[in-house]
Amino acid sequence: MSYYGFDVQSYIFTTLGNSSALQSVLGTGGSSGSSDNKIYDSIALQGAEYPFVNIGEEQTVDDSNASNSGQIVTVPIIMNSQYQGQKECKAGMKAIYDAFHQTTINASTLTSGSEAYVALVFVRSTNIQTLSDGITRIGTLNVDFITQAVIS
């Protein structure tokens, strides 16, 4: 069995960065290390300009069977906003949802070592909450990447 987490993370960054709907919500002003598109790995830099997206800590579960290896990689993708009301946060969440839900990643995109694999992608759950400052809203989308090795 191979570990697919790095490939999945790379795919997430590329997909979010290429989403014109999400980029429209985020605007401009990213920091170094964020591809200038306000998408951060794990925790945004202190003083990051709102709104922004951060990719949370993944959880990987073995989903292999007797004849094939696979994993379920769950990654929380978090929309952060300080816009009055929930409109901006929900618009960002919708853009993220539309970019990932019920998509298929082909084997030429995902290769771990010498093993190619495909992935089905689903948004399993969403949650929006207001932080204790009463201003910041975070919308979390838990995205499942269900991977299966391609048998040659």
Side-chain angles (χ1 to χ4, degrees), residues 79 81 86 89 93 127-131 136-140:
M79 175 67 199
S81 172
Q86 298 183 27
C89 191
M93 290 175 71
N127 176 20
I128 191 168
Q129 62 183 345
T130 303
L131 299 184
T136 307
R137 287 183 175 72
I138 58 171
T140 303

Side-chain angles (χ1 to χ4, degrees), residues 9 23 51 63-64 68-69 96 119 127 138 143 145 149:
Q9 181 181 7
Q23 294 307 315
D63 193 37
S64 300
N68 216 346
S69 65
I96 295 166
N127 176 20
I138 58 171
V143 183
F145 295 81

Side-chain angles (χ1 to χ4, degrees), residues 49-131:
E49 181 182 329
Y50 286 88
F52 62 87
V53 171
N54 61 295
I55 299 171
E57 298 174 354
E58 76 176 53
Q59 176 182 356
T60 302
V61 177
D62 185 30
D63 193 37
S64 300
N65 57 41
S67 61
N68 216 346
S69 65
Q71 297 173 347
I72 300 173
V73 181
T74 302
V75 180
I77 302 174
I78 303 132
M79 175 67 199
N80 299 265
S81 172
Q82 290 187 331
Y83 185 81
Q84 184 176 7
Q86 298 183 27
K87 180 180 179 180
E88 183 178 74
C89 191
K90 288 184 177 182
M93 290 175 71
K94 180 182 181 341
I96 295 166
Y97 182 94
D98 290 347
F100 289 105
H101 189 60
Q102 294 185 346
T103 60
T104 302
I105 307 169
N106 65 39
S108 63
T109 304
L110 300 173
T111 305
S112 183
S114 61
E115 182 178 65
Y117 61 97
V118 296
L120 301 175
V121 185
F122 297 93
V123 176
R124 181 172 35 92
S125 63
T126 63
N127 176 20
I128 191 168
Q129 62 183 345
T130 303
L131 299 184

Side-chain angles (χ1 to χ4, degrees), residues 13-30:
F13 267 102
T14 300
T15 301
L16 293 175
N18 289 336
S19 169
S20 58
L22 180 61
Q23 294 307 315
S24 176
V25 173
L26 296 178
T28 59

